[in-house]
Amino acid sequence: TKQLLTLKDAYKDYFKVGVAVSPATLERDGDLIREQFNSLTAENVMKPEEVQPEQGTFTFEQADGIVDFAKENNMTMRGHTLAWHNQTPDWMFKDGDKPASRDVALKHMKEHMHAVMSHFKSPFYAWDVINEVVADEGEDILRESPWRTIIGDDYVQKAFEFARQANPDVALYYNDYNESHPEKRDKIYTMLKDLLDKGTPIDGMGLQAHWGLEDPTLDNIRAAIEKYASLGLTLQVTEMDVSVFNFGDKRTDLTEPTEEMMEKQAERYEAFFSLFREYSDHIDSVTLWAASDRYNWLDDFPVRGRKNWPMLFDVNNQPKESFKRVVSFK
Ligand SMILES: Oc1ccccc1CN[C@@H]1C=C[C@@H](O)[C@H](O)[C@H]1O
């Protein structure tokens, strides 16, 4: 059979192809990861609670292992994530045992960013400065979060200013999910435009791309890419997976995906990467949120313990039809 190109080779003229990893998946799936990808993201171990669980206590060891793997295999890294309302330790919102004031919360955010960004320099090309600040529902653009409540609505602008001060040489990204749904897309756009009009140092928009077999439509993805790119931002697809279950489908009866699911998924991946190639002037990297179906976060979300099969390689790290469609293009 015709030898299939690897992801990184097939896309070397278009964009970097990355994968989210943990120390465990590097241990287990390292061969597949070094063969197929040229960019890494730490799925969890660079999140605020993982790197500074207590104020002044920095636990970088697990993340350093991922950075070492990247350096040993000539790979680049995107950092995830400097600020977020999830997986963030409570002390950041406190002043001792009292609630933090605006200034104390800003100090905690700034010090965290400076500590993390001075520890992780090479081979980072981008950082998610802040994750998921836009509300999914309601009139407000910003979701409720401790950062917003304590600091106020300018906390997003402050986050990017702190990050730029900490490292002027890395691309600063805003990252969000449901980014292609028109309503949320327009809120994200409005927020980014407002920040850019105020001179906020933002370089890129991260489309998490937690997509499915039906949603979002290709038209909505195209519209989102065009809308974000129209701000002069570079785009990255940051957390891509294609769930075999629609978001509201909580079925738990399957022990393996149906053939119909796998064919539909292959069609979707083929169409998504065709669109990415079309917009490759605007897209700097495409990162998959796991290496293979052996493990991915959707095995526990939105239904805990329910197996999913969202990736390009199967539970035995073998290429799926989805992979073949992605690397076989003219
Ligand atoms: O798709 C969603 C739906 C609701 C809330 C969050 C998300 C996505 N949230 C992402 C997913 C997994 C985490 O590991 C990432 O850090 C996070 O950015």
Side-chain angles (χ1 to χ4, degrees):
T1 56
K2 188 164 67 72
Q3 181 61 29
L4 290 169
L5 284 173
T6 64
L7 288 164
K8 64 185 178 187
D9 289 342
Y11 285 89
K12 70 182 184 316
D13 298 333
Y14 292 95
F15 37 70
K16 292 178 277 286
V17 184
V19 60
V21 298
S22 66
T25 60
L26 280 188
E27 184 66 33
R28 208 181 43 201
D29 307 324
D31 290 345
L32 176 69
I33 290 164
R34 70 168 60 85
E35 174 192 71
Q36 293 290 333
F37 301 98
N38 52 24
S39 170
L40 296 182
T41 304
E43 182 182 5
N44 285 296
V45 295
M46 291 188 190
K47 289 171 177 173
E49 71 181 4
E50 299 280 347
V51 288
Q52 193 179 184
E54 304 294 331
Q55 184 167 17
T57 301
F58 294 97
T59 50
F60 291 128
E61 298 71 28
Q62 290 200 316
D64 287 340
I66 293 173
V67 176
D68 291 344
F69 185 95
K71 288 178 176 174
E72 286 152 16
N73 292 285
N74 193 27
M75 301 170 91
T76 52
M77 289 205 69
R78 63 182 320 278
H80 176 77
T81 178
L82 293 170
W84 194 16
H85 57 279
N86 281 340
Q87 294 178 263
T88 295
D90 281 344
W91 70 261
M92 290 192 174
F93 308 122
K94 296 261 183 57
D95 181 4
D97 53 9
K98 302 196 309 299
S101 65
R102 167 183 160 89
D103 289 345
V104 168
L106 285 170
K107 177 171 170 286
H108 290 166
M109 178 190 280
K110 181 174 183 175
E111 289 175 349
H112 181 75
M113 290 188 175
H114 280 255
V116 173
M117 294 182 91
S118 57
H119 181 84
F120 297 117
K121 285 198 184 306
S122 165
F124 285 71
Y125 63 98
W127 268 101
D128 289 330
V129 170
I130 194 158
N131 201 34
E132 306 175 352
V133 305
V134 170
D136 284 308
E137 274 91 31
E139 289 311 302
D140 272 12
I141 285 188
L142 299 178
R143 73 165 68 233
E144 283 308 313
S145 86
W147 289 122
R148 184 187 184 194
T149 304
I150 295 168
I151 293 170
D153 285 5
D154 64 337
Y155 82 105
V156 184
Q157 180 173 356
K158 290 289 185 186
F160 281 96
E161 289 170 353
F162 295 157
R164 176 59 79 231
Q165 287 158 16
N167 183 346
D169 302 323
V170 74
L172 304 181
Y173 271 72
Y174 173 67
N175 194 48
D176 214 332
Y177 66 91
N178 287 350
E179 76 298 313
S180 302
H181 290 177
E183 189 185 322
K184 190 165 181 185
R185 173 202 68 205
D186 290 347
K187 285 186 178 181
I188 292 169
Y189 173 87
T190 300
M191 179 190 73
L192 291 172
K193 185 170 185 336
D194 176 53
L195 288 166
L196 288 165
D197 289 348
K198 290 173 181 166
T200 310
I202 305 175
D203 301 299
M205 168 64 198
L207 293 82
Q208 287 187 13
H210 290 296
W211 294 339
L213 300 182
E214 314 290 335
D215 175 70
T217 65
L218 282 174
D219 286 349
N220 281 346
I221 295 167
R222 177 186 295 277
I225 287 172
E226 294 198 353
K227 191 143 193 169
Y228 298 137
S230 75
L231 290 166
L233 295 173
T234 305
L235 308 183
Q236 291 175 359
V237 172
T238 56
E239 307 187 8
M240 185 178 194
D241 38 41
V242 179
S243 174
V244 300
F245 303 108
N246 292 330
F247 192 72
D249 180 352
K250 311 289 187 200
R251 71 185 292 191
T252 57
D253 58 316
L254 292 177
T255 56
E256 61 182 16
T258 67
E259 282 183 19
E260 187 190 15
M261 283 174 170
M262 291 296 93
E263 177 47 35
K264 178 71 178 170
Q265 184 185 73
E267 289 165 15
R268 293 280 278 173
Y269 266 117
E270 182 173 27
F272 294 151
F273 274 83
S274 173
L275 200 60
F276 297 159
R277 290 193 300 274
E278 183 183 341
Y279 288 96
S280 60
D281 287 352
H282 300 286
I283 296 173
D284 173 54
S285 60
V286 174
T287 294
L288 284 298
W289 207 238
S292 71
D293 289 344
R294 192 203 286 265
Y295 162 77
N296 63 84
W297 79 294
L298 294 170
D299 290 345
D300 277 322
F301 183 88
V303 179
R304 184 161 295 287
R306 196 258 311 261
K307 184 83 190 107
N308 206 317
W309 298 275
M311 308 321 299
L312 297 174
F313 295 90
D314 68 15
V315 292
N316 297 310
N317 287 359
Q318 298 308 304
K320 295 161 63 176
E321 183 59 26
S322 291
F323 170 80
K324 294 168 186 168
R325 305 279 184 87
V326 165
V327 296
S328 312
F329 57 90
K330 311 265 178 309

